[in-house]
Amino acid sequence: MLSPAGDPDDPSLAAVAAGAADIVSVLTLLGSQLGDEDGLEDVMVTFGSRFHLIRHLRAASAQPVVLLVVLDRSRANLALARREIRDFCASMAS
């Protein structure tokens, strides 16, 4: 976990980050077994009060990087958030 915007002492942040990494791992494996050559872009998990957006960054480094953004569902603009995340990840790749 690089930088939580919430309370850094909240133990659930580490659990959510680990869960996001597991989700990316499973879906990447599934995609490769299905012959999907495009690769995983992002995953959205919805809860009653939150959106969890998970983005798999394809960096040149050997270590895979997963970006997790948790949004308050009542205040978030999901389309704008996904666009901002896509643009942020594109800037990180270049």
Side-chain angles (χ1 to χ4, degrees):
M1 181 167 34
L2 296 177
S3 177
D7 180 7
D9 296 326
D10 182 357
S12 66
L13 291 176
V16 171
D22 287 345
I23 289 170
V24 167
S25 177
V26 167
L27 291 176
T28 300
L29 179 63
L30 179 61
S32 68
Q33 289 178 349
L34 295 175
D36 185 358
E37 296 171 11
D38 290 335
L40 179 67
E41 282 187 3
D42 58 19
V43 178
M44 180 176 60
V45 180
T46 61
F47 293 95
S49 62
R50 293 179 313 279
F51 294 120
H52 289 221
L53 301 174
I54 306 165
R55 182 83 178 192
H56 184 218
L57 290 135
R58 291 177 190 86
S61 68
Q63 291 285 27
V65 177
V66 175
L67 174 67
L68 168 66
V69 178
V70 180
L71 302 169
D72 181 337
R73 193 173 187 155
S74 66
R75 297 179 11 190
N77 179 327
L78 186 56
L80 181 60
R82 289 188 72 212
R83 191 168 98 190
E84 289 293 322
I85 291 166
R86 182 198 65 213
D87 293 347
F88 171 76
C89 292
S91 72
M92 295 297 291
S94 58

